[in-house]
Amino acid sequence: DLLVHGGEAERRAREHRKTRMKVATRSRGSMAASACSTRRCTTRCHSRLNLKVNKDTQVRGGSNSRTRAIAEPPATAPEPKVFSEAAPDASPVLICGQVSHSLTKEREEVIHSMEDFMADKVYKYLKPVDKCWQAQDYLPDPSKEDFIPQVQELRERALCLPDDYLVVLVGDMVTEEALPTYMSMLNTIDATRDETGSADTVWARWTREWTAEENRHGDLLNKYLYLTGRVDMRQIEVTIQNLIGSGMCPKTENNPYLGFMYTSFQERATKVSHGNTGRNAVKYGDEYLGEICAMIASDEARHEKAYQ
C-alpha cells in the first residue's frame, strides 16, 4: 500500500511539474510575442520619424539651395583692359563704351602751366564785342520803313541760287546751329573745362567767348535763309533740334591734347566750307551772300589759328 501510494504521489508530482512547465512555456511565448510586437511597433515609429526628418531636411535643404542661388551673384566675365592709343602711359576709364579721361598727371601740369601763354598769345584771336559784326548788320532792318522793299530785293537775288547750292548752304547753317553741342564737348575736357559755368579761369573764359563769337554765324545764316523763302524752315528746325538732342562723341577721351586737335581741324573745315560757299554765291549772282559767307570764314580762320 505504501508502494502504491508512493508511486501515485510520484506520478502526481511529475504531472504537476509538466503543468508548471507548460504554463511557463506559454508565458514565455506570450512575453516573446509581446516583445516582438513592441519591437515591430517601435521600428515602424522610428521609420516614420526618420522619413519625416528626411523630408524636413530635404525641404530645408532645398530652401537653402534656393536661398544660396538667389544670394550668390552670377559669375561675370573680367572687364577688358582699357587702353588709350593716344596716351599709352595713361590709365583711362571706360564710360558708355568709350575710352575716357586719358590725361596723365604730368600732361595735366603742362596744361595748367600754359595759362599765361593763353592770356598773352591766344586771347588776341578773339575780338571785343564792340568790334565784332552782328547778324543785323547784313540783314534788312525791320525798324526801317524800307524793310519790305529790302526783303523783296533779297528774295530776288536768291532766285539765282541753284537748289543744290542751297542744300550746301543749309548744311553750313545747321553745322553752326549745333554750337551748344560743341560747347558741351569742350566742357568735358579735363584741366580746361568750365567747372561752374562762369569760372574765371583762362580756359573757361576762352570757351565762353569763343562760343559767343561762333553764335553769330548760325544766327545770320538762319535768318538769311528764312528771308529767301527758298527752303522749308520747319524741316530745318526739326533737323537742328534732332542734331543737338543727339549730342556728339568725337572720341577725344576728355583729353585736351585730343580735344584741341579736333577743334583745330573743325575750324579749318568750316573756314574752307564757308569760303567755298561764298565764292559760289558770287558766281551765281548773289554778291551780298558771298560777303556774308566770307565774313564767317574770316572768323573761322582766326579761331583756327588760336587752336593751332
Side-chain angles (χ1 to χ4, degrees):
D1 188 47
L2 286 173
L3 289 173
V4 172
H5 287 290
E8 181 66 20
E10 186 177 357
R11 184 182 61 79
R12 289 178 180 175
R14 283 198 303 271
E15 289 179 355
H16 181 67
R17 284 196 297 272
K18 289 180 179 179
T19 302
R20 288 179 61 188
M21 288 176 65
K22 288 179 181 179
V23 171
T25 301
R26 282 197 295 270
S27 297
R28 284 195 297 271
S30 294
M31 291 175 61
S34 177
C36 183
S37 176
T38 301
R39 282 195 299 271
R40 285 196 298 270
C41 181
T42 303
T43 301
R44 284 196 297 271
C45 290
H46 285 172
S47 298
R48 294 193 188 101
L49 180 60
N50 289 338
L51 181 60
K52 185 176 186 304
V53 170
N54 290 338
K55 286 182 177 179
D56 291 343
T57 303
Q58 290 173 359
V59 170
R60 286 195 299 271
S63 176
N64 290 339
S65 298
R66 288 192 295 272
T67 303
R68 284 195 299 271
I70 295 171
E72 293 176 0
T76 56
E79 294 185 359
K81 185 177 180 181
V82 183
F83 176 75
S84 169
E85 293 183 1
D89 55 338
S91 300
V93 298
L94 205 63
I95 300 177
C96 297
Q98 298 293 335
V99 177
S100 307
H101 302 292
S102 63
L103 182 66
T104 62
K105 196 67 178 175
E106 292 78 12
R107 294 191 180 100
E108 182 179 357
E109 292 174 358
V110 172
I111 295 297
H112 288 311
S113 71
M114 292 177 61
E115 292 186 357
D116 290 340
F117 174 81
M118 279 287 295
D120 296 338
K121 304 295 184 182
V122 178
Y123 260 89
K124 66 181 182 181
Y125 291 107
L126 292 173
K127 288 185 176 181
V129 175
D130 59 354
K131 301 264 186 193
C132 288
W133 59 263
Q134 300 298 331
Q136 188 54 56
D137 297 336
Y138 294 90
L139 295 170
D141 187 349
S143 66
K144 298 291 182 65
E145 292 183 359
D146 62 345
F147 172 68
I148 299 300
Q150 287 185 25
V151 172
Q152 187 61 39
E153 182 183 347
L154 185 153
R155 293 170 71 95
E156 289 176 359
R157 288 198 311 267
L159 291 175
C160 67
L161 302 173
D163 288 346
D164 55 353
Y165 173 86
L166 289 172
V167 170
V168 176
L169 187 61
V170 167
D172 285 350
M173 182 266 284
V174 169
T175 300
E176 296 292 346
E177 291 282 52
L179 187 62
T181 299
Y182 311 141
M183 187 177 187
S184 297
M185 188 276 288
L186 288 175
N187 279 331
T188 67
I189 296 178
D190 293 333
T192 65
R193 68 169 62 91
D194 186 347
E195 297 285 359
T196 67
S198 59
D200 197 35
T201 66
V202 64
W203 296 101
R205 291 198 307 273
W206 165 265
T207 296
R208 294 196 301 271
E209 293 178 32
W210 168 84
T211 302
E213 283 197 5
E214 289 279 339
N215 187 59
R216 300 169 302 145
H217 303 168
D219 279 353
L220 177 51
L221 292 176
N222 191 309
K223 291 172 182 174
Y224 191 90
L225 283 167
Y226 169 79
L227 291 174
T228 65
R230 294 286 310 278
V231 296
D232 186 340
M233 287 303 298
R234 191 178 193 284
Q235 286 302 113
I236 292 173
E237 290 161 358
V238 168
T239 299
I240 294 170
Q241 184 172 353
N242 284 328
L243 179 61
I244 296 174
S246 298
M248 177 185 71
C249 179
K251 298 184 179 181
T252 52
E253 303 177 5
N254 309 94
N255 190 325
Y257 288 81
L258 299 177
F260 293 128
M261 184 182 296
Y262 167 81
T263 55
S264 299
F265 280 100
Q266 181 197 43
E267 296 288 5
R268 172 170 290 188
T270 51
K271 176 191 73 173
V272 171
S273 182
H274 288 302
N276 290 338
T277 306
R279 284 187 289 273
N280 280 292
V282 173
K283 183 177 73 173
Y284 293 128
D286 192 341
E287 295 184 1
Y288 204 72
L289 177 58
E291 184 180 352
I292 288 174
C293 293
M295 290 292 296
I296 295 174
S298 177
D299 280 356
E300 305 293 7
R302 279 191 298 110
H303 297 162
E304 178 194 7
K305 291 179 181 178
Y307 281 119
Q308 285 177 339

